[in-house]
Amino acid sequence: MLRLPLTPAEVGRGQRLGALLRRARGCRSMLHVALASPISPDTLRKIESSRVATPAFPTIAAIADTLGLSLDAVRAEIGQAERAVEDQSFPPVTRHPSWVSQHPLHVKYA
């Protein structure tokens, strides 16, 4: 199966997800959290290190449940950072009415 390369947004989302899960895990061992989820410790390690940037939803739901995180909180934190990046990448659109009215093809309707 051919996998398409991840977009920069997907990579960033995976990094934010991994960081969130590491913070939520705190001092608990990776093995303990993985077995309680139940997923393999290797899968948890890959998600936390962003080597798996787009894990399956049931996997994230199981890990979040084990860590006591709501899926709404996970989505909000990851989405909030994503919206901040999107807001910085595109300047707001402004209209210049004086430019439009001076354009040679501008037609003013009465």
Side-chain angles (χ1 to χ4, degrees), residues 3 6 10-11 13-22 25 30-31 34 39-56 59-60 63:
R3 278 188 69 130
L6 297 174
E10 290 171 327
V11 171
R13 202 170 28 245
Q15 291 170 341
R16 289 188 298 277
L17 176 63
L20 171 65
L21 295 178
R22 278 192 307 276
R25 184 168 55 85
M30 193 177 288
L31 178 64
I39 61 170
S40 74
D42 191 47
T43 298
L44 181 58
R45 181 180 53 78
K46 287 178 182 177
I47 293 170
E48 285 189 0
S49 65
S50 306
R51 287 186 51 216
V52 175
T54 56
T59 303
I60 295 305
I63 297 168

